[in-house]
Amino acid sequence: MIRGFFRLVGLLLLAGGFIFMVYDGARWVADQSLQFTQFGQFWNDIHQSSQQAFRAWVESKAPWLWTSVIRVVLEQPVFAVLGVAGILLMLVFRPRKPLIGYSRG
């Protein structure tokens, strides 16, 4: 059951990534300039204080992690971050292959 839930979350993340790809593409057609929405900007638009609290928490635990990993992720396009996260969840929680020649009955 938990596997199905995480696969659903992965599918929703993939759908969100696709939506942001269409959004950025429509903005490119309208403005004639290719500008991707950054994940950090999107997070600020949703809930700015949570990003600041997360930064303070990470910097208190491991300051190198913020500059080397998380900041790089926050600078990536939203569709890429959501798409990769969705694909990872779909792959990690995929259904098991049935065993051939073995019955569970």
Side-chain angles (χ1 to χ4, degrees):
M1 173 140 163
I2 196 82
R3 181 177 293 157
F5 173 73
F6 281 114
R7 284 184 55 84
L8 175 67
V9 170
L11 190 62
L12 291 175
L13 287 174
L14 277 173
F18 181 73
I19 288 170
F20 270 95
M21 186 184 298
V22 170
Y23 173 74
D24 288 339
R27 192 168 58 181
W28 173 57
V29 169
D31 296 342
Q32 295 297 318
S33 64
L34 187 59
Q35 294 179 349
F36 296 117
T37 307
Q38 291 183 349
F39 186 67
Q41 176 187 357
F42 172 67
W43 192 357
N44 273 334
D45 291 344
I46 298 298
H47 197 259
Q48 187 174 9
S49 62
S50 69
Q51 184 180 7
Q52 294 168 352
F54 180 69
R55 179 179 183 171
W57 180 77
V58 168
E59 286 181 342
S60 70
K61 301 293 181 188
W64 58 271
L65 188 63
W66 181 261
T67 58
S68 62
V69 177
I70 297 175
R71 199 162 148 218
V72 173
V73 171
L74 290 175
E75 292 172 354
Q76 301 307 312
V78 177
F79 74 87
V81 174
L82 293 180
V84 167
I87 289 171
L88 285 176
L89 282 175
M90 296 287 286
L91 287 176
V92 169
F93 294 102
R94 67 179 177 242
R96 294 183 186 157
K97 292 182 181 177
L99 298 174
I100 297 175
Y102 178 78
S103 68
R104 296 183 192 233

